[in-house]
């Protein structure tokens, strides 16, 4: 059985997609962390400045 060599090599297809479309995985990670932070604040009763409460 041959070891998985793609783990140690660069992934040219992924890199070209990142150049063309942006790093969607990184963007999703940032949004996820922001959402988690906002949810934690909401659970603790902290409101964000600049957001009006919905009626």
């Amino acid at each position: 059985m041959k070891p998985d060599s793609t783990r140690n090599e660069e992934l040219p297809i992924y890199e070209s997609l990142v150049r063309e479309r942006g790093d969607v995985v990184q963007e999703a990670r940032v949004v996820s962390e922001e959402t988690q932070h906002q949810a934690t604040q909401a659970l603790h009763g902290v409101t964000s400045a600049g957001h009006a409460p919905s009626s």
Side-chain angles (χ1 to χ4, degrees):
M1 190 178 225
K2 191 164 101 174
D4 186 3
S5 62
T6 59
R7 290 183 184 174
N8 296 327
E9 296 176 4
E10 294 184 24
L11 302 172
I13 294 171
Y14 179 76
E15 289 176 6
S16 71
L17 286 172
V18 168
R19 280 192 300 274
E20 290 175 22
R21 308 279 175 139
D23 193 346
V24 176
V25 174
Q26 176 61 27
E27 291 173 21
R29 183 178 295 119
V30 169
V31 171
S32 173
E33 289 171 356
E34 289 173 357
T35 303
Q36 184 176 14
H37 178 71
Q38 290 172 357
T40 300
Q41 287 184 324
L43 288 172
H44 288 61
V46 178
T47 58
S48 299
H51 289 82
S54 57
S55 10

